Every structure is written in structure tokens, then in C-alpha cells.
Amino acid sequence: MSSSLVAYDDSDSEAETEETEVPSTSRRQTSLPSSSVNRVQYFAPGSLGTKSTYEMQPTENADSSGTSTFGEVPLEHYAQNNNTDLASPYCRRAYSSCNALCMSYKKYEQTSSSSTNSGNGVSQKRIHTESTIAIEGIRPYIPKRLRQENSSMPEKKESDQRDSLDCDVKLGMSGEQPLRKISELIKPYLGSKYKSTEVPKSLVFYMSKHSGPVNEIQWCPVPERSHMLLSASMDKTVKVWDAVDTGCCLTTYSCHSSAVRSAQWSSCGKRILSGGFDSMLHLTDVETGKQIFSIKNEFRISALKFHPTESNIFTCGGFSPEVKAWDIRTSKVLRVYKAAVQQTLDILFLPEGREFLTSTDAVSRDSADRTIIAWDFQSAAKISNQIFHERYTCPSLTLHPRESKFVAQTNGNYMALFSAQRPYRINKKKRYEGHKVEGFAVGCEFSPDGTLLVTGSSDGKVFFYNYHTARIIRTLSAHEEACLSGIFHPVLPSLLATCNWAGEIKIWQ
């Protein structure tokens, strides 16, 4: 250690550096012998992927003026920056080692640019930008907060684009928004009790704006707005119709990227909840078309239902063994109901919303175990899965408006009647049969007074059954293709809406 240290005088080093500060311009273009050149590989900060080679001349072979070729870095510049004597052997060893490699890249650029451009009288300032080039196979660390912000930005942009482009809100012909008006035909019936239902015979409106099968239709539950009819179709759209006065399409919502399997009115009649095969859940404001709630689900959706008493809670099921309960206010899942099934076909809340039923595609060899499952809404526990024991799936369920009963549509071409109270016994004396299902998701519905039971059929007909006797009252040849749904108006007596697999909607009186 003692032999490698050499004492030197600070005055000598200052004299040498003063002599080499101003190199002559005539000698800048002379090249040194190859034997007197040592190449140093220097990695500039901010450019880890590029390798630069600078040539340095030892002091014993250098000229007195400290000449250097173009692209060479004289050691005197390092000496000026570090106040070091180049004559000492210790300094030569130091600069030829890692100390020379770790010099500041910014200082080198300033000295090299001034020495290179001084001959031409041009002073160019080179600006160093610290650019980060990632080494192959290594990703820079990003804080969690920034990752969450970056991941949420595309979703916000997509939702803004959908709000401005996809959702089309149209005004009525008179300038008044038809979504807010009260129909003159409905006003006389507001506040009065629903009387009796008669079987409709004549066609009032024929609406064919959908380009795909209509999966579901529903009247607005608010009596003042019950002139509006909601429809969900396989053509990726949800439409709102004036099905009482004009039969025109009021609004079209194109928020989904795939088929819309289910759509529901909210209890206030101002929002529409929709879900489909794109696994997206959208809650859309009817008047503005803006999406209040939009989230990606984990599975494709085939059934949606709002809670009867909690307007901010809804359940969804689909191509998954799970049924989820969502809270719109927090956009989070409240509860998950798991069953050993592959798909949920329909969901039905029982009175007061404490319990609900799900129909599934689970059919065993000897019995249809788990075809209909009863759940406790609060605890997510199974109440019963031994409700329907026949070997048919049930594509739809409906609740009687006045009695504690519910009906299940089956693929056995009949409808079965059950008690809505535990243990949910089936009524073996009543069976509503005569129509055809044949694998279609054919819906069934009671009239508002509960005297009639209406259902579609795969042959395009609509069947009207007497609820008490289970006999067919009338058959209506409504469509040429499979009729998927038929529902009565909640206020106007004997007004019926039907839809079919060809995308047609018809209003009957």
C-alpha cells in the first residue's frame, strides 16, 4: 500500500493544467500512434443500452500542449474537474480504472463541446436529457397508486365515449320529451282499481326496429309512465317504445358489445338495468342516456332482477354456478350465492324480498335435483333444492300478483304451479299444458288481476289459460316464428304486448 502512494506538489499540477487549458487548433486534426492509445469503454448515464468508446493518452506520451484527436477525451479535462495531478502514477492508475468510468456525463459534454467548436468560433450548447431506457427483461417499478390511476383512465375514457356516442336520446315530434309525458289514454285509469282482464283480439301496433331476436319486454312499473315499453334484443341494443299512443321507438341504447339477454326497469321508472353476453352490467338514465353504473362481471349474464324493497340492490345470474347481489351505490358485490350448477336461467323474488328462487340447468338422471333452488337473501344460505323433481329445466318463473303462488315454465311443454311458502310444494292437480317450448326461453306472465295466465309458444302462438281451472281460454296466432313473451299492461285493461324470435313486437287490444 505504501509503495503505490507518491507525494506530489499542488503547485506543479496547477501549472500543468494551466498549460493545457487552451490547445492549439492546428494540432487538433493530428492523430496519435496506435501504440500510445488506450481505449476506455464508457457507459453514459441515461443510455444504458449504448456503449461509447473514448480514447485517452497517457501523460508520458502526450504532447506538451495536450493534443487530442476528434472524439478523444484528454485527461487534462478530468484533471480540471477533479483537481488531480496527471503526472503521478497513482492518478494514471485511478483514471484508467473505474473512477474514469464513473465520471459525470454532463460535465464531459460541456468540456468536449467547448473544445470541439472553439476552432470554428461556434459555441453550441448540448442539452442533456435524462431519458430512461429499460434494460431488456427488467421493468421499472411503478407505485401502486399510479398503477390504479392508469388502469382506471381507459375505463373512464371508454365510458365517456359510450355516453356521447352510443346512447341515442330522441325527442318527440311535438318537441316535448315523450319519456316524461303522461298518455291521455292512461290518465282516466290512474288512481282507480284494476277491474277485469279480457282476452285481446285486434292488433294495434306492429314494431319491427330490432334486427335480432327480442329476448325480453317489460312495461314501465310507474303508472304515469306506463306508456313506455322496454325491449332487450340479441342485436346488442335496448329500446324504449311508446307502445300506447304512437307505437314509435323513443330511445335506443347501444351500450353493449354483444347480445343483451336481460333488461329491467328500476322501481322509479327513470333507470334501466341491462346485462348480456359481453358480461357487462349497465345502469342507464332513461332521459339523458348516461351510464350511472357500469361494471364488468365475471360471467355472461342471462338473468337480472331488482330487489322488491331495496331499490339500490339487484341480483344477476348467468353462465356460472354463482348468483351475485350488487349494490349500485358502492358498485360492489354484497353477497354471492353458490350452487353446484352451470347456468342460472331465471331469478324470482318472493314477497317482501327475504327469499328468492333461481331456476338452473341442473338435471340428474333420476330427478331434476337443484332445478329450482330457494335462497335466503340475507344469509345466502340454501333453503331448499328439492322443489321440482321432474326431469325438465325451467326457463322462466313468475309470481301471482295476489296469491302466494308462483308458476314455472318447463321444457316439458307445460307450466307447473307451486306454493310461494315453505316448503314450496307443487300443485299436482293443476298443470297448464297445450303450448310448446322446445328449448326456447319462453316466458309466462299473470294478468294484473291474476285471473289469466299468458304464455308464448315455439310455434308463434299466444296461449291464454284460466288460472283457476287451468283450461285454455283462447289461442292467438300472433307471430310466424317462436313467441318468447307476452305481458299485460299494468294499468290499461286487456292491453297485451308480445315479442318473437324474428325481432318483432306487437301490441294487442
Side-chain angles (χ1 to χ4, degrees), residues 409-424:
Q409 179 80 268
T410 71
N411 274 307
N413 299 330
Y414 68 91
M415 291 180 289
L417 182 64
F418 297 85
S419 172
Q421 297 179 353
R422 302 182 187 181
Y424 315 105

Side-chain angles (χ1 to χ4, degrees), residues 33-41 53-58 96:
S34 60
S35 60
S36 63
V37 175
N38 293 330
R39 297 182 179 271
V40 178
Q41 293 181 352
T53 304
Y54 301 107
E55 295 180 352
M56 294 189 353
Q57 180 181 4
S96 61

Side-chain angles (χ1 to χ4, degrees), residues 241-451:
W241 308 79
D242 184 354
V244 174
D245 295 325
T246 63
C248 298
C249 178
L250 302 178
T251 316
T252 301
Y253 305 100
S254 302
C255 302
H256 292 271
S257 61
S258 187
V260 184
R261 183 61 183 84
S262 181
Q264 293 284 313
W265 287 100
S266 62
S267 59
C268 62
K270 298 180 180 180
R271 302 172 181 178
I272 295 174
L273 177 67
S274 60
F277 291 164
D278 58 352
S279 304
M280 291 298 298
L281 289 167
H282 295 298
L283 183 67
T284 308
D285 186 270
V286 177
E287 296 181 1
T288 63
K290 295 183 179 180
Q291 297 176 12
I292 304 171
F293 174 87
S294 181
I295 198 166
K296 180 81 171 180
N297 197 34
E298 296 178 356
F299 50 83
R300 292 180 294 170
I301 300 165
S302 60
L304 289 173
K305 283 294 188 300
F306 273 103
H307 194 276
T309 59
E310 297 289 338
S311 60
N312 293 313
I313 298 175
F314 69 91
T315 57
C316 73
F319 293 82
S320 172
E322 297 179 349
V323 175
K324 294 184 178 181
W326 291 82
D327 192 335
I328 298 173
R329 296 164 294 186
T330 60
S331 301
K332 294 182 180 179
V333 178
L334 290 179
R335 299 173 190 87
V336 178
Y337 310 86
K338 295 183 180 180
V341 297
Q342 295 181 353
Q343 182 183 355
T344 300
L345 303 178
D346 198 8
I347 301 173
L348 177 66
F349 274 98
L350 297 180
E352 298 181 0
R354 297 177 182 177
E355 302 170 1
F356 70 95
L357 305 173
T358 58
S359 62
T360 68
D361 65 343
V363 178
S364 62
R365 180 175 299 179
D366 298 330
S367 65
D369 184 22
R370 303 181 304 276
T371 301
I372 299 177
I373 303 176
W375 302 86
D376 184 88
F377 180 76
Q378 294 294 335
S379 64
K382 291 181 184 178
I383 299 175
S384 176
N385 61 353
Q386 302 290 330
I387 299 175
F388 186 56
H389 295 279
E390 299 187 22
R391 295 173 56 186
Y392 299 108
T393 57
C394 302
S396 63
L397 306 171
T398 185
L399 187 67
H400 195 278
R402 298 182 180 181
E403 297 182 8
S404 184
K405 305 285 185 181
F406 73 91
V407 168
Q409 179 80 268
T410 71
N411 274 307
N413 299 330
Y414 68 91
M415 291 180 289
L417 182 64
F418 297 85
S419 172
Q421 297 179 353
R422 302 182 187 181
Y424 315 105
R425 297 182 185 273
I426 186 173
N427 190 337
K428 297 182 180 180
K429 296 181 180 180
K430 288 185 181 181
R431 176 176 288 190
Y432 306 88
E433 55 186 347
H435 60 283
K436 297 179 180 179
V437 179
E438 297 179 347
F440 287 94
V442 178
C444 55
E445 193 76 24
F446 282 100
S447 61
D449 58 355
T451 58

Side-chain angles (χ1 to χ4, degrees), residues 8-45:
Y8 59 90
D9 190 2
D10 292 339
S11 61
D12 296 339
S13 61
E14 293 176 358
E16 290 183 6
T17 54
E18 290 176 358
E19 292 178 359
T20 58
E21 276 183 355
V22 185
S24 63
T25 58
S26 61
R27 296 182 181 180
R28 289 182 186 280
Q29 299 177 354
T30 59
S31 60
L32 294 175
S34 60
S35 60
S36 63
V37 175
N38 293 330
R39 297 182 179 271
V40 178
Q41 293 181 352
Y42 178 76
F43 293 89

Side-chain angles (χ1 to χ4, degrees), residues 32 49 60-61 75 132 145 193 196 199 235 267 275 289 309-310 326 330-331 339 376 456 483 489:
L32 294 175
E60 56 267 25
N61 296 329
L75 289 177
T132 305
R145 179 178 58 83
K193 187 178 180 181
S196 61
V199 178
D235 62 0
S267 59
T309 59
E310 297 289 338
W326 291 82
T330 60
S331 301
D376 184 88
C483 180
H489 193 275

Side-chain angles (χ1 to χ4, degrees), residues 43-65:
F43 293 89
S47 58
L48 296 177
T50 59
K51 181 173 66 176
S52 302
T53 304
Y54 301 107
E55 295 180 352
M56 294 189 353
Q57 180 181 4
T59 54
E60 56 267 25
N61 296 329
D63 209 351
S64 61
S65 59

Side-chain angles (χ1 to χ4, degrees), residues 139-311:
R139 292 186 300 176
Y141 173 75
I142 301 176
K144 183 178 180 181
R145 179 178 58 83
L146 296 179
R147 291 198 304 266
Q148 292 176 348
E149 291 179 356
N150 294 335
S151 62
S152 62
M153 287 299 292
E155 296 179 358
K156 292 180 180 179
K157 290 181 180 179
E158 290 178 1
S159 62
D160 294 340
Q161 292 177 356
R162 289 171 181 165
D163 294 343
S164 59
L165 299 178
D166 294 342
C167 297
D168 182 18
V169 180
K170 299 180 181 180
L171 296 178
M173 297 179 61
S174 61
E176 179 188 5
Q177 289 192 6
L179 300 174
R180 297 181 180 179
K181 73 171 186 177
I182 300 177
S183 174
E184 296 296 332
L185 298 176
I186 297 177
K187 285 182 180 180
Y189 296 92
L190 295 177
S192 61
K193 187 178 180 181
Y194 191 92
K195 296 180 180 179
S196 61
T197 304
E198 296 181 0
V199 178
K201 300 178 182 179
S202 59
L203 179 64
V204 180
F205 295 118
Y206 172 78
M207 302 175 290
S208 60
K209 293 289 185 179
H210 281 294
S211 60
V214 179
N215 293 316
E216 191 171 8
I217 54 176
Q218 185 187 17
W219 295 101
C220 183
V222 181
E224 292 79 8
R225 297 187 175 191
S226 59
H227 66 284
M228 295 187 294
L229 180 70
L230 172 67
S231 63
S233 174
M234 299 287 281
D235 62 0
K236 308 177 185 179
T237 63
V238 176
K239 293 181 182 293
V240 176
W241 308 79
D242 184 354
V244 174
D245 295 325
T246 63
C248 298
C249 178
L250 302 178
T251 316
T252 301
Y253 305 100
S254 302
C255 302
H256 292 271
S257 61
S258 187
V260 184
R261 183 61 183 84
S262 181
Q264 293 284 313
W265 287 100
S266 62
S267 59
C268 62
K270 298 180 180 180
R271 302 172 181 178
I272 295 174
L273 177 67
S274 60
F277 291 164
D278 58 352
S279 304
M280 291 298 298
L281 289 167
H282 295 298
L283 183 67
T284 308
D285 186 270
V286 177
E287 296 181 1
T288 63
K290 295 183 179 180
Q291 297 176 12
I292 304 171
F293 174 87
S294 181
I295 198 166
K296 180 81 171 180
N297 197 34
E298 296 178 356
F299 50 83
R300 292 180 294 170
I301 300 165
S302 60
L304 289 173
K305 283 294 188 300
F306 273 103
H307 194 276
T309 59
E310 297 289 338
S311 60

